[in-house]
Amino acid sequence: MALDENVLEKGILNVTPSLQTVNTQAPQPSFLHSHTLKISLFVSLLPNPAVMAVLKVHGSPFSTATMRVVSALYEKGLQFEFVSIDMKVGQHKSEAFLALNPFGQVPAFEDGDLKLFESRAITQYIAHEYASNGTQLICPDSKKMAIMSVWMEVEAHQYDPHAAKLCFELCIKPMLGLTTDPAAVEDLEAKLGKVLDVYEARLTQSKYLGGDCLGLADLHHLPTLHYLLGSSAKKLFDSRPHVSAWVADITARPAWAKVIAMQKS
């Protein structure tokens, strides 16, 4: 069987210094060359510890922050271990979980010996560390990345505060047997509507918030969109044609379907 020259080259570069020194001196017996080649190939085929590191997400499949992280992993096509945290029994406040996130909030994330919390920080790490995998969620061009970063900040500081509270009123309260506050809903819908007016104007200029390609700025919206589209707040998105088209686009992604499927498993 013919051997790939690249494999041979990689193997030879990975042999021990002593063997490399032997090969660069006087001609050696053929049996030594044979053993050197075998050792070279063996070393080149050893598992790379960095590749073998297991990615872990500790969280709840119903948590918007956890869903944000998992969507990034699926978009990048990365394998990961999901460690379910039962928040009903306070598992997120346990000593073991607090060692991962001292604030006792899901999710927590591990990549080998690296431990992270805060969902948006985690998605940025995933996008940068695994830039060559799957969907390109960031821009290599610094100016384009700066524009995307602006809209990532808009999501976190302008959109999410209203969207998250609206999710609580319209989706979480009924699940907990609590009464929705109509006045709060009206106020939050008005505030979110003003943000979506800005989105409507932005989306007349580009297909996605951060530019012409899907990025973290879009992906970060998916968890709250999932809940709001199943509520009376859906009208806020449907009534704005460019926002509506953008929502339909990003929620139809196969990676997002996998995130939703986790809630049913």
Side-chain angles (χ1 to χ4, degrees), residues 3 21-22 123 136 158 174 191 202 218 234-236 244:
L3 291 173
T21 302
V22 169
T123 61
Q136 181 65 266
Q158 304 294 334
K191 290 177 178 176
R202 168 61 181 167
D218 309 288
K234 184 176 185 292
K235 63 181 180 291
L236 297 174
S244 179

Side-chain angles (χ1 to χ4, degrees), residues 155-170:
E155 182 277 330
H157 302 294
Q158 304 294 334
Y159 168 89
D160 193 65
H162 307 313
K165 291 176 183 177
L166 200 51
C167 280
F168 180 73
E169 287 292 337
L170 295 175

Side-chain angles (χ1 to χ4, degrees), residues 11-254:
I12 292 170
L13 290 175
N14 279 298
V15 296
T16 60
S18 60
L19 285 175
Q20 290 186 45
T21 302
V22 169
N23 286 331
T24 57
Q25 293 177 349
Q28 302 298 318
S30 60
F31 76 87
L32 182 55
H33 287 288
S34 175
H35 285 295
T36 301
L37 179 58
K38 290 179 181 178
I39 294 172
S40 301
L41 290 173
F42 173 75
V43 173
S44 71
L45 296 176
L46 284 175
N48 184 337
V51 174
M52 293 187 69
V54 178
L55 303 179
K56 291 184 180 181
V57 179
H58 304 255
S60 165
F62 298 95
S63 153
T64 54
T66 301
M67 294 165 73
R68 190 174 290 121
V69 170
V70 173
S71 66
L73 289 168
Y74 278 132
E75 283 289 352
K76 302 302 286 182
L78 299 171
Q79 294 186 347
F80 63 94
E81 177 185 347
F82 187 80
V83 182
S84 183
I85 301 298
D86 191 344
M87 300 174 69
K88 291 182 180 178
V89 300
Q91 197 174 357
H92 56 306
K93 302 298 183 182
S94 68
E95 184 176 346
F97 186 81
L98 290 173
L100 297 171
N101 185 345
F103 294 102
Q105 299 173 323
V106 294
F109 176 82
E110 295 182 85
D111 186 355
D113 60 357
L114 176 67
K115 296 176 175 58
L116 298 174
F117 54 91
E118 295 298 338
S119 63
R120 293 172 182 81
I122 296 170
T123 61
Q124 289 187 63
Y125 167 76
I126 293 168
H128 285 277
E129 181 68 13
Y130 298 97
S132 62
N133 294 71
T135 306
Q136 181 65 266
L137 297 173
I138 54 176
C139 299
D141 180 273
S142 59
K143 290 185 178 180
K144 291 181 179 180
M145 189 63 224
I147 293 173
M148 183 181 292
S149 296
V150 167
W151 290 97
M152 289 165 63
E153 291 294 309
V154 169
E155 182 277 330
H157 302 294
Q158 304 294 334
Y159 168 89
D160 193 65
H162 307 313
K165 291 176 183 177
L166 200 51
C167 280
F168 180 73
E169 287 292 337
L170 295 175
C171 307
I172 306 302
K173 274 190 173 183
M175 290 172 59
L176 298 176
L178 302 175
T179 303
T180 297
D181 182 347
V185 170
E186 183 179 0
D187 179 60
L188 289 167
E189 286 186 344
K191 290 177 178 176
L192 183 58
K194 290 181 180 179
V195 175
L196 293 178
D197 285 340
V198 176
Y199 279 32
E200 181 70 10
R202 168 61 181 167
L203 291 167
T204 62
Q205 303 170 16
S206 60
K207 184 176 181 179
Y208 298 98
L209 288 175
D212 293 325
C213 298
L214 178 89
L216 291 177
D218 309 288
L219 180 146
H220 287 175
H221 290 78
L222 284 168
T224 49
L225 278 175
H226 170 66
Y227 288 111
L228 291 177
L229 291 177
S231 74
S232 60
K234 184 176 185 292
K235 63 181 180 291
L236 297 174
F237 305 94
D238 291 345
S239 62
R240 296 166 172 84
H242 290 89
V243 169
S244 179
W246 167 71
V247 168
D249 184 310
I250 64 176
T251 56
R253 296 189 64 81

